[in-house]
Amino acid sequence: MGSIKRIAINTGGGDAPGLNAVIRAAVLAAANRGWEAYGIRDGFNGIFFPERYPEGGVFRLTRDRVRGIAHLGGTVLGTTNQGNPLQYPLKMPDGTVKQVDRTGEILETFAKKQIDALISIGGDGSLTIAHALAKQGLKVVCVPKTIDNDLDKTFTTFGFDTAVSFATECLDRLHTTAESHQRIMVVEMMGRYAGWIALHSGISGGAHAILLPELPFDLDKVVEKIRQRERVGRVYSLIVVAEGARVIDGQRAVLAPAEVGKAERLGGIGEQVARALSERTGKDTRTVVLGHLVRGGSPTSFDRLAALRFGAAAVRALDEGHSNVMVSLAFPNVQYVPLEEVAGRMKAVPLDCDTLITGRDMGICFGD
Ligand code: F6P
């Protein structure tokens, strides 16, 4: 204890509502201990490309800099989901791309600027990078961020509640237009390989079928559900499809394959399902892709509070001498979890969770 004077904070991966609240709480908690806080721009790009930033790639975060930001979406630090420092893609003179480890540059910058610790706010990729930095001797505490809620060992990640709330509101709005036109409305939702957003919003928003990555589906079951509704006079249906869902024995819909330093981009399953349902039922069908809309906007009060608690807890963890841990939510309190227990592990929707069973009890079709 007592060895910290300066910390740096960065945000990595896709943005999520609540990032700014974490930053604010961490900066205030640090300032109240007499520590200085610094922000690193765009993941670690502020360190790799300082020349890009007139104000400096690593810059001072004072109380003033974080005033009035807790309710804002996005991140004042900027973020990136490309250029993992562990496998940084460098273009060679012959045009080929080589992956290099740039973590040494991060450690050098911390030493040069006499920064004692890093608070890394991010998803799975950031946890893996932070774990590698910690193994090289850097003090690191992570804060779990992702709208997808697919990080293990935390009840929830901040950003998820905001995404689910917005998606639920969208479903509420789609019911009326779908019913007025007697249509099938297929709504594709983000979440990568986990179906949390689709499941939670689908149940809250009264979807009639929910198709999850965790449960490859049989379209016949969805057609049967639509017909069954029609037999009792319900002439419209709302079908929620997670972007990572796939038909039994089929492939995931991919918009762009993975490249060096870039994950694959999922998308398109909604339209595929809509076309197939239209052909099979003869009904008018429309697709809505919520996409990045669920990542924008102000965090809900749940996410804002979780984010503020996580930011303050990350500073407390450092102050108490912890490193190589992630702060996490284990009701009613936050706790610290070793990074080796979370990095590289995905939290999928358990097929026996009561939320999914609630959907089944209510008659929602899961395509199985
Ligand atoms: O992980 C968050 C997420 O929003 C996923 O749900 C989605 O697949 C992905 O990021 C989209 O990333 P990008 O911003 O690169 O399109």
Side-chain angles (χ1 to χ4, degrees):
M1 285 208 212
S3 61
I4 306 239
K5 296 270 176 296
R6 273 184 195 171
I7 60 166
I9 304 170
N10 80 336
T11 52
D15 70 324
L19 281 168
N20 286 324
V22 180
I23 295 166
R24 175 170 164 77
V27 169
L28 295 185
N32 288 334
R33 284 167 169 78
W35 303 355
E36 285 181 359
Y38 289 79
I40 306 172
R41 299 262 182 210
D42 300 338
F44 288 103
N45 283 349
I47 289 177
F48 300 148
F49 309 103
E51 69 285 356
R52 287 185 188 169
Y53 305 97
E55 218 195 338
V58 181
F59 66 104
R60 185 74 204 283
L61 283 173
T62 58
R63 287 174 192 275
D64 273 354
R65 288 301 290 263
V66 297
R67 179 170 297 144
I69 65 167
H71 65 292
L72 300 178
T75 161
V76 294
L77 298 178
T79 188
T80 176
N81 51 13
Q82 293 174 28
N84 175 351
L86 293 167
Q87 296 162 313
Y88 199 93
L90 272 192
K91 208 158 189 191
M92 297 288 113
D94 65 359
T96 58
V97 178
K98 193 176 151 202
Q99 294 185 328
V100 294
D101 182 345
R102 297 187 74 173
T103 50
E105 293 170 57
I106 299 172
L107 295 173
E108 274 165 33
T109 303
F110 272 65
K112 205 167 88 203
K113 294 186 181 290
Q114 296 182 307
I115 297 174
D116 308 301
L118 170 68
I119 293 181
S120 171
I121 315 169
D124 184 45
S126 302
L127 294 178
T128 304
I129 297 162
H131 189 38
L133 290 169
K135 283 199 275 191
Q136 293 176 55
L138 191 69
K139 285 187 185 132
V140 189
V141 172
C142 290
V143 175
K145 166 247 51 165
T146 165
I147 61 162
D148 302 339
N149 193 36
D150 59 354
L151 296 183
D152 204 8
K153 305 275 176 184
T154 184
F155 169 73
T156 192
T157 53
F158 70 85
F160 173 62
D161 185 65
T162 310
V164 169
S165 302
F166 179 75
T168 303
E169 190 193 327
C170 292
L171 293 177
D172 290 348
R173 287 167 183 252
L174 290 170
H175 273 278
T176 48
T177 176
E179 185 162 21
S180 304
H181 289 264
Q182 310 191 355
R183 282 176 173 153
I184 300 171
M185 199 65 89
V186 178
V187 189
E188 181 181 305
M189 307 225 178
M190 278 190 173
R192 293 199 78 75
Y193 311 114
W196 294 104
I197 300 175
L199 178 69
H200 283 221
S201 64
I203 291 181
S204 307
H208 306 110
I210 303 174
L211 305 177
L212 304 173
E214 291 84 351
L215 202 50
F217 58 91
D218 175 352
L219 212 62
D220 287 345
K221 306 282 180 186
V222 184
V223 170
E224 177 47 30
K225 174 72 187 174
I226 292 166
R227 294 213 167 112
Q228 189 193 323
R229 282 176 53 74
E230 298 222 311
R231 283 198 289 275
V232 292
R234 306 277 186 261
V235 288
Y236 80 102
S237 288
L238 217 54
I239 316 294
V240 166
V241 188
E243 64 178 0
R246 63 182 172 86
V247 74
I248 295 169
D249 298 329
Q251 302 289 321
R252 284 199 184 93
V254 173
L255 283 177
E259 286 172 37
V260 180
K262 275 194 204 171
E264 68 180 0
R265 279 183 64 208
L266 299 175
I269 186 68
E271 186 56 26
Q272 287 178 19
V273 167
R275 280 208 193 137
L277 290 177
S278 175
E279 277 164 24
R280 309 266 283 265
T281 63
K283 287 186 72 73
D284 205 15
T285 305
R286 293 289 184 274
T287 312
V288 177
V289 180
L290 295 188
H292 294 79
L293 285 171
V294 299
R295 252 168 52 182
S298 289
T300 57
S301 56
F302 179 92
D303 275 342
R304 208 178 298 181
L305 181 60
L308 292 167
R309 290 171 69 195
F310 281 154
V315 168
R316 281 202 307 279
L318 288 171
D319 201 12
E320 291 163 13
H322 295 279
S323 175
N324 204 4
V325 294
M326 176 184 88
V327 296
S328 96
L329 197 55
F331 273 122
N333 290 319
V334 287
Q335 62 174 8
Y336 313 137
V337 186
L339 283 185
E340 65 208 14
E341 288 180 21
V342 281
R345 292 199 199 174
M346 197 196 94
K347 181 178 70 183
V349 172
L351 297 182
D352 60 353
C353 71
D354 87 276
T355 312
L356 199 149
I357 295 168
T358 300
R360 292 196 191 282
D361 282 339
M362 292 170 66
I364 296 172
C365 167
F366 288 91
D368 63 335

